[in-house]
Amino acid sequence: MIFTIDIVSIKKQLAAEAAIEMIEDGMIVGLGTGSTSSIAIDLIGKKVSEGLNILGIPTSKASENQATSLGIPLTSLSTHPSIDLAIDGADEVSPSLDLIKGLGGALVREKIVENQSKKLVIIIDDSKLVPQLGACPLPVEIIFFGHESTSTSLASLGCTPVLRMDGDKPFISDNGNVIYHCTFPNAISNPSDLALKIEKIPGVVTSGLFVNMADIVLVGSDDGLQTLKRS
Ligand code: 5RP
């Protein structure tokens, strides 16, 4: 019998295990979206079944469904507007811990939840560490009305925006909007400036640039766990 070891999953698991050690009894916990967050949610579900007392706030319908199926009690930002700790993945992490997020399509709820979190812990495998953001496309969520013309305003910022598809139809986010994946040919030299320019465009909900938000990045690598902290 041949066993294949999925190294990337092991790295994600390492980061997720370290993150859930930061959860304390009584906390309000933001639950991220994506394959790495899903490992963390599974681990939280196990801890809850063993008696951990927390309330989760999911960043997507997928995370909500997973948490519910595991018996993790949930609350909302209306009831608990301040979150103790949010745990989420990322698509890219720069040396200053700025992020590109949202290739899983959940960027808006992630940004809302994580903006309300006292501490944001990002869990990644080491392939997500980049010298400069922008090797992957930047997701931007846009209101459906007039989205084609909104995308031309995005293009005027120097990128090529491509509508995210779900088969032969536009992908629709949990918020009922479309998402454009924007490729910047020369990467992103000034993420905070770009984030402001994108968010000024009427029709844009938000971009996947998470600037100055991550407090800690836990990185699973060949050498074990690496912990990066924002200075
Ligand atoms: C979803 C996200 C995810 O956190 C990001 O895409 C990373 O996902 P994965 O852990 O599957 O690599 O931002 O909107």
Side-chain angles (χ1 to χ4, degrees):
M1 188 184 270
I2 298 171
F3 292 99
T4 52
I5 300 173
D6 180 352
I7 302 285
V8 175
S9 297
I10 293 171
K11 291 176 179 177
K12 290 177 179 181
Q13 178 86 23
L14 207 58
E17 280 172 2
I20 67 145
E21 289 306 315
M22 295 181 187
I23 300 176
E24 292 167 20
D25 220 46
M27 277 186 166
I28 308 297
V29 180
L31 306 172
T33 298
S35 58
T36 322
S37 295
S38 164
I39 298 171
I41 295 171
D42 274 343
L43 294 168
I44 293 170
K46 185 162 181 290
K47 282 208 160 194
V48 166
S49 72
E50 291 164 357
L52 177 72
N53 172 33
I54 58 130
L55 290 173
I57 300 193
T59 55
S60 62
K61 289 182 184 163
S63 297
E64 179 177 344
N65 292 340
Q66 185 187 359
T68 305
S69 74
L70 294 166
I72 301 172
L74 300 179
T75 182
S76 67
L77 280 172
S78 333
T79 316
H80 290 96
S82 174
I83 296 172
D84 296 299
L85 174 71
I87 299 171
D88 201 353
D91 300 298
E92 282 187 354
V93 177
S94 76
S96 54
L97 307 194
D98 293 331
L99 318 172
I100 286 184
K101 286 186 47 54
L103 288 180
L107 61 154
V108 170
R109 294 190 189 194
E110 289 171 338
K111 202 177 262 187
I112 293 171
V113 167
E114 290 156 24
N115 185 53
Q116 294 304 115
S117 300
K118 292 178 197 149
K119 191 181 270 190
L120 171 58
V121 177
I122 295 296
I123 49 177
I124 54 168
D125 68 84
D126 55 358
S127 70
K128 307 290 184 66
L129 293 174
V130 293
Q132 191 175 21
L133 296 181
C136 76
L138 173 67
V140 179
E141 185 156 329
I142 292 180
I143 296 205
F144 188 83
F145 176 81
H147 68 87
E148 296 93 340
S149 69
T150 307
S151 79
T152 62
S153 302
L154 280 174
S156 74
L157 298 177
C159 67
T160 306
V162 174
L163 182 63
R164 178 173 175 170
M165 300 297 287
D166 182 7
D168 57 357
K169 297 197 188 91
F171 171 88
I172 302 295
S173 75
D174 285 350
N175 316 303
N177 302 313
V178 295
I179 291 178
Y180 277 81
H181 285 172
C182 301
T183 301
F184 288 84
N186 302 316
I188 297 171
S189 54
N190 189 335
S192 51
D193 181 57
L194 180 64
L196 288 176
K197 285 181 178 152
I198 292 175
E199 280 157 27
K200 264 193 196 158
I201 299 172
V204 166
V205 181
T206 199
S207 79
L209 283 168
F210 285 46
V211 179
N212 284 333
M213 288 182 70
D215 297 291
I216 296 180
V217 178
L218 298 169
V219 189
S221 72
D222 289 333
D223 300 327
L225 184 77
Q226 199 188 343
T227 303
L228 308 174
K229 290 189 182 159
R230 186 145 61 93
S231 46

